Amino acid sequence: MSGLLEELGNKLYDGDAPGVAALTRRALEDGTLALVVLNQGLLPGMDRVGRDFRDGEIFIPEVIVAARAMHAGLELIKPLLAQSSAASARKIVLGTVQGDLHDIGKKLVGIMMQGAGFHVVDLGHDVTPERFLEAARRENPDIIGMSALLSTTMPVMKTTIEVLRHAGLDGKLRIMVGGAPVTRAWADEIGADGYAADAVTAVECARRLMQAR
Ligand code: B1M
């Protein structure tokens, strides 16, 4: 099975979306858990894309097709990751901050949150502080979750928190942040209530925030 998952990672690296879909389907039909397909097939492929992009060995077009291939796999494992019997009234509004187009990690966080019984409202990417504020007023969520993948967009998290606080929405609303360059120290500095490094701990963080209220 590890050979199949390795091949899956390679197909993702090559940006072969139909190949990724076919191998993901095969792995699931063979009984591999969705989380294993994600952690041992799709994510290692995407990590390799990130390393080679950083090192100048591949360029934006290759990264875009790899991201599309990632989505092809995610679509298939999504219903399995999100399976949950525990209905919950807890609501989380998620978005990638303004200026940032990276949405794969944020989508994964949404899928895992859904699986944990949260009602997820996904605002997508490039979300301005004002749109977060509108959604906070409209949806009345328990948590606002912000994602940033660029060090240049991390400051927008701070602005968004300021906008929400200025509007007086910081009473029962909890704010959590995450994304590859985001750290716990940054979360503390900008006054976020929670920080998580990955989608699994994001769920743990959200549950903790709900208990602490
Ligand atoms: Co870009 N990119 N990218 N990119 N890209 C990175 C992030 C980069 C690290 C690559 C590198 O240099 N090695 C680098 C950022 C450097 C930095 O600032 N620190 C970078 C750059 C520089 C850029 C551009 C500026 C390149 C350019 O144009 N010169 C440009 C910026 C565009 C923009 O946003 N304005 C750009 C563009 C793109 C694409 C559009 C081509 C594409 C995104 C497609 C898409 O998302 N639809 C892309 C991609 C795919 C990547 C890499 C290769 C992969 C990101 C990814 O999806 N990872 C990335 C390198 C890397 O990270 N290895 C890179 C998989 C995903 C599952 O992980 O997103 O980390 P991640 O999410 C995790 C955790 O972070 C966490 O949980 C998730 C699941 O475990 N998490 C949260 C995320 N959000 C959370 C929220 C939470 C809690 C946890 O609470 C609310």
Side-chain angles (χ1 to χ4, degrees), residues 38 67-68 70-72 74-75 77-78 81-82 94-96 101-115 120-125 145-147 149 198-199 202-203:
L38 176 67
R68 281 195 197 128
M70 176 84 179
H71 280 299
L74 274 186
E75 280 308 307
I77 59 169
K78 184 174 160 179
L81 288 177
L94 276 180
T96 303
L101 304 178
H102 298 86
D103 68 349
I104 295 172
K106 182 259 309 158
K107 273 191 185 159
L108 258 180
V109 170
I111 291 169
M112 298 305 283
M113 291 281 184
Q114 245 177 290
V120 177
V121 179
D122 190 339
L123 301 180
H125 54 264
M146 284 183 271
S147 178
L149 263 287
D198 57 52
V203 169

Side-chain angles (χ1 to χ4, degrees), residues 1-10 23 26:
M1 179 51 64
S2 61
L4 193 153
L5 293 178
E6 197 181 326
E7 203 186 330
L8 175 56
N10 291 339
L23 285 185
R26 218 168 90 201

Side-chain angles (χ1 to χ4, degrees), residues 43 46-47 49-50 53-54 60 63-64 67 70-71 94 99-106 108-109 145-147 149-152 176-181 196-199 202:
L43 286 179
M46 194 45 109
D47 280 348
V49 171
F53 177 54
R54 182 197 59 210
I60 291 284
V63 180
I64 291 175
M70 176 84 179
H71 280 299
L94 276 180
D100 202 322
L101 304 178
H102 298 86
D103 68 349
I104 295 172
K106 182 259 309 158
L108 258 180
V109 170
M146 284 183 271
S147 178
L149 263 287
L150 298 171
S151 34
T152 48
M176 62 181 281
V177 293
D198 57 52

Side-chain angles (χ1 to χ4, degrees), residues 9-93:
N10 291 339
K11 295 267 183 219
L12 189 146
Y13 181 87
D14 293 340
D16 177 358
V20 166
L23 285 185
T24 301
R25 223 174 265 120
R26 218 168 90 201
L28 294 173
E29 280 164 10
D30 287 352
T32 311
L33 292 175
L35 205 53
V36 173
V37 175
L38 176 67
N39 287 334
Q40 296 178 27
L42 299 171
L43 286 179
M46 194 45 109
D47 280 348
R48 208 176 125 213
V49 171
R51 278 196 305 275
D52 287 359
F53 177 54
R54 182 197 59 210
D55 297 343
E57 286 174 29
I58 58 171
F59 301 95
I60 291 284
E62 286 94 332
V63 180
I64 291 175
V65 288
R68 281 195 197 128
M70 176 84 179
H71 280 299
L74 274 186
E75 280 308 307
L76 294 169
I77 59 169
K78 184 174 160 179
L80 301 165
L81 288 177
Q83 259 168 19
S84 166
S85 51
S88 159
R90 302 302 197 185
K91 194 189 264 190
I92 178 162
V93 165

